[in-house]
Structures are given as C-alpha cells and as structure tokens.
Amino acid sequence: MNNFSISILVFGSLIASCLTHVRSDASDHRYKTGDHVLLYANKVGPFHNPSETYRYFDLPFCSPDAIIKEKKEALGEVLNGDRLVIAPYKLNFRDEKDSAVVCRKKLKKMEVAQFRSAVEKDYYFQMYYDDLPIWGFIGKVDKEGKTYQSEYRYFLYKHIQFDILYNKDRVIEISARMDPNSLVDLTEDKEVDAEFMYSVKWKETDTSFEKRMEKYSLSSSLPHHLEIHWFSIINSCVTVLLLTGFLATILMRVLKNDFMKYAQDEEAADDQEETGWKYIHGDVFRFPKYKSLFAAALGSGSQLFTLTVFIFMLALVGVFYPYNRGALFTALVVIYALTSGIAGFTAASFYCQLEGKNWVRNLLLTGCLFCGPLFLTFCFLNTVAIAYSATAALPFGTIVVIVLIWTLVTSPLLVLGGIAGKNSKAEFQAPCRTTKYPREIPPLPWYRSAIPQMAMAGFLPFSAIYIELYYIFASVWGHRIYTIYSILFIVFIILLIVTAFITVALTYFQLAAEDHEWWWRSFLCGGSTGVFIYAYCLYYYYARSDMSGFMQTSFFFGYMACICYGFFLMLGAVGFRASLLFVRHIYRSIKCE
C-alpha cells in the first residue's frame, strides 16, 4: 500500500510539474509602443515532407549582422525539430514599416540553384513572434501555359508583409503575406541582384489574450467539419458496439447452455465422456511456453497502457494546446521514464507467478523489449537525418540527456519495480488443478490457426478507429492541428472495449475446440490491431499523402513501426487480461474434479 501511495504522489507531482512548465512556457508579455519584440526564424523544408526540415539560414537568406543567436530550447522542442534563431526583421510593438530593406545581396549561381531547388520542392518557412507561429512559402513556380517542366519559371519572394493584431499592450495574432509582385527570377543559372524587404501593419482587435490560440484550434476543425467528424465517429462507434453487443449476447447464451449442460452431466452419470471447454480443465492453466518473454511483453504493454492514460489526462486538462512547442514529446519522455517501475513490477510478479526462476534476466528482457527496437530505429533514422543535415538530427547534448534519463531514472525504477514484484509473493490463482501431462490438441481447421484468428481479432477494433486515424495522421504527418482530444478519448475507450470482447470471444471458441494453448493466442489476437494500423500506414502514404524522398519515407515507416509495435504490446496486454478474467470466471463456475 505504501508503494502504491508513493506512486500516486510521484505521478501527481509529475502532472503538476508538466502543467506548470507548459503554462509558464506560454508567452505572457506586455509591451509598450516601440518595445523590441523578437522574431524567431525556425525552419524551412518541403511542404509535403513534415519530417524533412532544415535550419532557416541553411538557405542563403539575409543573415543578421552579428553572429546568429540561437534560442535556448527545452527537450521536447529539440525532439520536435525546432531550431529557433533570431531573424533579421525588426518588428517593434506598434511600429509600422513600409517596404523596409533587410539587405541587398548578389545571389551567386550556386545560391540561385539552391533557392530554385527549394522553390521547386515547395519549401515553406516557419517563424515565431511572441510564441505565435507564422508560415509562408519562399517562392512560386509559374506553370501557366507551360506544357513541359523545362519551360517552368521559378521565382523567389523578396517582400514579406507582416499583419499584426494587438489588444492594448499584448500581441494577439500575426500573419505573413508574400507580395506576388515583388519577385526574383531564379530560372536561369546566373548571378542575380536581390533586395529583401518587409512591411509591418498593426491593427487593434477586441480579442482577449486568453483566446488568441482559439484561431489555430478553429482552423483545424471548422464547425461543418466538426459535425461531420462527430457524426462519423458516433456512427462508427454505434456500429462496432452493436456488433460487440451481438457477439456478447451470443457468447452469454452459449455459455448459459454450457453451464446447464455441465450441471445436468454432473447430476447424471459421472462416467459420461466430457466434451468442449470443460474437457480441458486440467490443461487450460498450464503455463505458456517462453514464459519470460510472455511476462516481459505483459509488463511492457502495461507500462505503455499507463503512459497512454496519463497522456490523455494531460490532453483533456488542456496541456497540449496548439503550438505549445514540444509539450507532447516532453511528456512522453518523462512519463515513460517514470512508468518503467510499472513494467518491472508487472513483469517480475507475473514471471514469479509462472514459477520462473531467473527474474533478473526477465527484467533485462522487459527493459529492452520496447526500448531496444526503438533505440535501433532511432540510431538509423538519426544517421539519415545527419546525412541530410536536417533538424530532425538530435544534437549530441540532447542524446546525452536522453541516455542519462534512461540510466538514472528509467533503469533504477525498472529494477525497483522488479524487486517489488519479485517480493510480492503473489501466487497464480487457478481454479482448476493442472494435470502432469498435457493433452493432445485435436486437429483443427485452417481458420482456427493463429494468423486467421489474428486477422479476425484485429479487424473489428481497427474498424472502430480507422476514421480517427486519418485525422491523427493528417496532424502528425501533415500540417493540420489536432485539438479534439475528447473524441480521441472516446475512440480509445471503444478500442479497449472491443479488443477485450473480441479476444474473449475468440478465446472461448478456441477452448470449445479443446485447444488449451490460449495464453499467447489471446495476446497476439489482442495486439493484432497494431498490424492493421501499420497496413493503414501503407495506404495513407501511397493514397492520401504526397510525401516522397528517402528521408521522409524512412521516418514515416520507421517511427510508425515503433508506434504500431507499442500498440501491439499495449492491446495484447489488454486482450490477455480480459481473457484471463474470463477463463478464471468460467472454470470457477463449474466443478472440475
């Protein structure tokens, strides 16, 4: 009980610190007329490749007179690929400017080719002013009346118009417009004279400072789209719940008939041959093969489930508001580190219940089961990002910080959880005695094997979430903003319910066919939704997105493989726990002598 109380206090302090950090990170500056407000240039990159971003001054823009000054950033911001530097534009509070010159420079042939390549790939830039994001394209391609690509003309925008709204002494909104009449022709490989300019217009508004982020929330879900979104989700959820209820009703009726049949058998001749799931009562609680791996998978899945629940808690209380840079990544790293004790406790206690002896090796396996593939994927993708000189490449200092978190927080908590689990002295609660020798499993048709069962088990939960997946993918791998966490939480609850029900139903059919090896099957069936999500990744990449290039493709499929693997472990743990409760219940309800 003491350990549990300590855990609650730790998580409470974690959430409080996250909320404090995130809220304090939001800009709440008050300005006087003429005050200097810094404009930060963040990154540039191809519009359709969200992972492929570069530092702003990797392109030959006008650089500041002095050394480029970088803004100190938190862990989550660096993980997000943000690299903020002070931009050469002076946007003093309520100080209007008309065609102010930033710099005049002669673009060399190499710089012209660099800009032309960027314009051709639809490069955009991102800046921040008083913690408000600004976007704009760096140029345009003139294709009008042109048949062949060799005839296209490429132009660079050289004049930015900043429109800023203010309310008394605070900045409320900012936007950047590119002047379509102020262009630099980049079509030919020759030196070009360019004069970069900017204008600033200020306008007063009644919008309060507290509501200035609502613009970004509304742009992500317009009322019309929001109604369609809700209708689609409700329609999907009702359909899935009806199917689940139908399945549950059939299962309950079949079980009721089984109980009545077995009760009559006990009152009648005892020598009558038993059939069905009662026949294998002496084998159903026989411990599974590879028990160490099974316990490690259960521990990792339980940790990821806890991580997901805490992320939802933070999202629902408003921590991840639009453009709170890096908050989600910071929360993921910190909460994953602090929940490693849950993985250690669950894995070690269950491993000891399964009469495992080498609990230290089991603990090492638990620690590496999810982190190992994630680390290998990160090493490969970080190497790709370094080769591309992209901002997705983590600096050495950030890698050291993550390694220290894993060494000083994750590993000790994993070990402490494992020791607590080993010393819990819990015994596996089996309502039936297990016979000395296992019964032979009768030959079964092909559709009762593992892979067809996984396909059936994963389809129904996936059908409950596939509509929401599009919005999530468009946010993570696109430029939309996801803000409707209430819908996502409802979909998550539906996903858990459907996964539990379908796994329990398939476990019953497996036992009724006198196949007692249900442990691994229930875990695999529960987690099979992760395989369907990865298959959806293929569809999304080729049919719904315009992503291209080796780096973007590597990042998309690499990190989505890790996320889907995490879903596999989490939902596998949910499916097994539901099946274990069900199996214990039905065998406790009959006499198994």
Side-chain angles (χ1 to χ4, degrees), residues 65-80:
D65 298 331
I67 299 172
I68 295 174
K69 296 179 182 178
E70 296 189 0
K71 184 178 184 292
K72 191 175 181 181
E73 293 171 304
L75 174 64
E77 295 169 345
V78 178
L79 292 174
N80 195 40

Side-chain angles (χ1 to χ4, degrees), residues 190-205:
K190 63 179 183 180
E191 292 187 349
V192 177
D193 290 320
E195 185 180 50
F196 291 94
M197 299 178 294
Y198 69 104
S199 301
V200 187
K201 301 293 182 186
W202 289 84
K203 187 177 179 181
E204 193 166 7
T205 180

